[in-house]
C-alpha cells in the first residue's frame, strides 16, 4: 500500500495515528497525531485503516461493549 509517487521518489517516513473504535469494533475516526512525511502518507494510513481494521470491542465497567481508542504508528521504508 506504499503510495506509488512516494516509492518512486524513495520517500520514507513515520505516521503516528489514533483511531476511535466503535462499540462494534470498527474504526470510526482516524486522527494523525504526528507525522514526518508528506500528506500522502497520512492519507494512505487513515484510508487503509478505515477500510480494513477490525477490533474486538472494549468492555466498559458494566461489561458492555464501549467506544475506545487505539494508537500506533506506521513506518514507510524504501529498500
Amino acid at each position: 500500500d506504499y503510495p506509488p509517487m512516494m516509492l518512486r521518489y524513495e520517500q520514507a517516513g513515520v505516521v503516528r495515528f489514533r483511531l476511535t473504535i466503535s462499540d462494534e469494533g470498527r474504526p470510526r475516526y482516524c486522527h494523525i497525531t504526528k507525522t514526518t512525511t508528506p500528506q500522502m502518507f497520512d492519507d494512505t494510513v487513515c484510508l487503509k485503516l478505515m477500510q480494513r481494521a477490525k477490533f474486538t470491542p472494549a468492555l466498559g465497567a458494566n461489561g458492555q461493549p464501549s467506544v475506545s481508542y487505539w494508537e500506533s504508528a506506521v513506518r514507510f521504508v524504501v529498500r
Side-chain angles (χ1 to χ4, degrees):
D1 293 326
Y2 214 105
M5 184 182 295
M6 296 295 98
L7 189 57
R8 189 173 322 129
Y9 292 110
E10 297 185 352
Q11 178 74 43
V14 177
V15 178
R16 293 197 59 76
F17 63 89
R18 181 175 118 168
L19 290 179
T20 301
I21 310 301
S22 74
D23 58 357
E24 298 161 345
R26 298 292 302 172
R28 292 294 174 224
Y29 181 73
C30 179
H31 175 72
I32 301 300
T33 57
K34 186 175 183 181
T35 187
T36 62
T37 62
Q39 180 74 32
M40 193 172 290
F41 282 133
D42 299 354
D43 295 343
T44 298
V45 166
C46 281
L47 175 67
K48 298 303 180 180
L49 286 168
M50 295 300 289
Q51 288 175 345
R52 299 178 183 164
K54 294 179 184 173
F55 297 86
T56 300
L59 300 179
N62 61 0
Q64 297 297 313
S66 66
V67 173
S68 62
Y69 302 94
W70 184 62
E71 293 186 53
S72 191
V74 175
R75 179 176 300 228
F76 290 89
V77 180
V78 179
R79 293 183 182 198

